[in-house]
Amino acid sequence: MSAPEADPRIRVRVRDGVGRITLDRPEAINAVDLSMLTTVMAALDTWREDPEVDLIVFDGVGDRGFSAGGDVRALYAGIGAGEVRDAEEFFRTEYRMNAAIAEYPKPVIAFADGITMGGGIGMAGHAHVRIVTETSRLAMPETRIGFTPDAGGSWLLARAPGRIGEYLALTSDAMDAADAIYAGFADHLVPRADLPAVLHALETRADPATPTELVLLFDETPEESGLTAARAWIDDAFSRDTLPGILDRLRELAADARWAADVRSPATALAALEERPPTALAVTLAAIRSARALPGLRAALEQEFRLIGWFATTQPDMLEGIRAQMVDKDRRPRWHPATLAELPADIVGQAFSHENPRPLF
């Protein structure tokens, strides 16, 4: 069988020792599909032992963002048509790429400029040097569309300070640059206008020579993260043992005037959770807490692979969420079940015991 052709929506080139992978699908905020992921993996495999390539840079075309994540419309069409094996192959390739980036033997630098969500975080969030800008908006929005944070997102969320991980995972709240650095999703804030200069410095190897030291020449200190001010009530509510306990505590805290005027408040978090599908919330809460005890990213990806397989093959909420938010855009999803009271007591156990036809690794 001949090797697949490179996807033109992934621009791959080498210059002065820098292997550059640019996502070039700006009309879809650089959302990636299986063909694009395959091209990225081929480049990483080719450069792994190439003495002419010293480091890797990920970036994206367009002003809107690095990547909105996976092409969920394509997944919606495929799963809806019964082509579950294609969806499984997409996630297998994506998660193997996430692991390859994290474990790469050469420095990997990512420019998470603008919108960077879901699978976009799967590329940028596991890089060795993660750059955000004043335009960056990072999120793991999966519960909004009926499933659970993936692409290694559960591993990052589990290591956020306090209970920030549970909060971000369940509410799908977006982070700015300061939030992303505070939560452990990014390392450096660099003005968008300086990104070409950072790339030039990486190519010319001006002293200091390591990628991190070079980036620090352009690094700016962000303002204090808004998550810091919200930590008190986030840790209070999202440390509760159960999902109903979290919701009950948010209702109590929403009556406290201390946070009423804040953009992030117990009331806004409560409103977000009341819109989310109960199944996705219950499984996601368990996934973040389980990931805290896992030994590494690969184990977290294996857990996510089982969970996403369960959602894709057994749960109507995944297709319904994508339909309501991304396809028909009526913003009126009909979740099954619709309430926590209707949620089967063993739903989390069902999700975590799922096995896909083929293992991830």
Side-chain angles (χ1 to χ4, degrees):
M1 180 181 295
S2 61
E5 292 186 6
D7 192 303
R9 297 168 297 173
I10 300 292
R11 294 164 54 190
V12 177
R13 63 270 198 215
V14 178
R15 177 176 175 179
D16 296 327
V18 175
R20 189 174 174 190
I21 298 173
T22 301
L23 311 185
D24 190 359
R25 196 187 179 191
E27 71 280 3
I29 319 181
N30 298 318
V32 294
D33 59 20
L34 178 57
S35 174
M36 297 168 72
L37 293 173
T38 300
T39 297
V40 172
M41 279 296 286
L44 293 175
D45 289 342
T46 298
W47 292 337
R48 187 180 301 274
E49 305 295 335
D50 188 340
E52 301 300 316
V53 177
D54 300 320
L55 57 90
I56 313 298
V57 170
F58 277 89
D59 63 356
V61 171
D63 294 332
R64 297 171 68 192
F66 168 64
S67 176
D71 187 345
V72 294
R73 290 181 181 86
L75 288 172
Y76 175 84
I79 296 172
E83 298 170 357
V84 177
R85 289 187 63 182
D86 290 346
E88 182 186 286
E89 189 60 29
F90 169 84
F91 289 114
R92 175 180 286 103
T93 303
E94 181 182 28
Y95 297 1
R96 290 171 69 91
M97 178 196 67
N98 301 147
I101 290 171
E103 299 167 357
Y104 210 66
K106 300 174 182 180
V108 179
I109 300 93
F111 294 172
D113 182 37
I115 293 172
T116 304
M117 297 186 177
I121 287 178
M123 282 184 277
H126 305 304
H128 307 144
V129 182
R130 305 165 299 175
I131 297 172
V132 285
T133 74
E134 73 279 7
T135 73
S136 293
R137 293 294 180 271
L138 281 69
M140 298 302 297
E142 288 80 5
T143 59
R144 186 188 299 272
I145 50 177
F147 57 111
T148 192
D150 69 331
S154 67
W155 178 251
L156 296 171
L157 290 161
R159 275 144 191 79
R163 299 297 176 159
I164 295 295
E166 283 98 329
Y167 165 78
L168 292 172
L170 297 180
T171 65
S172 309
D173 193 14
M175 297 174 275
D176 61 17
D179 295 333
I181 292 171
Y182 176 72
F185 281 70
D187 303 305
H188 305 286
L189 169 61
V190 173
R192 169 183 272 186
D194 288 344
L195 293 181
V198 173
L199 181 62
H200 178 72
L202 292 170
E203 291 173 341
T204 57
R205 303 295 196 283
D207 287 333
T210 70
T212 296
E213 290 173 328
L214 285 170
V215 171
L216 282 172
L217 297 175
F218 302 90
D219 182 273
E220 293 192 355
T221 301
E223 296 181 0
E224 184 177 71
S225 165
L227 291 170
T228 304
R231 270 288 300 278
W233 66 261
I234 287 175
D235 286 357
D236 184 346
F238 286 87
S239 64
R240 304 295 157 145
D241 290 339
T242 66
L243 188 55
I246 291 173
L247 288 162
D248 287 344
R249 185 55 179 156
L250 285 173
R251 292 186 185 101
E252 295 170 354
L253 293 170
D256 193 323
R258 284 180 293 172
W259 301 292
D262 294 349
V263 174
R264 285 189 176 108
S265 69
T268 59
L270 177 62
L273 265 60
E274 289 178 336
E275 293 178 351
R276 302 292 182 266
T279 301
L281 291 179
V283 172
T284 294
L285 180 63
I288 302 307
R289 292 179 173 176
S290 173
R292 285 201 179 99
L294 295 176
L297 174 61
R298 279 192 171 232
L301 288 166
E302 288 175 327
Q303 174 175 281
E304 292 173 357
F305 190 55
R306 291 193 299 274
L307 295 178
I308 202 67
W310 180 77
F311 274 103
T313 58
T314 73
Q315 298 301 300
D317 283 351
M318 184 172 176
L319 285 182
E320 174 61 9
I322 296 172
R323 180 205 65 77
Q325 298 293 342
M326 310 294 291
V327 180
D328 297 338
K329 300 183 180 180
D330 60 21
R331 308 292 191 265
R332 297 175 61 184
R334 295 178 293 275
W335 305 126
H336 299 283
T339 67
L340 280 177
E342 301 171 272
L343 200 64
D346 66 341
I347 195 71
V348 170
Q350 291 179 33
F352 276 76
S353 63
H354 177 81
E355 293 292 342
N356 294 307
R358 291 191 293 157
L360 176 59
F361 298 109

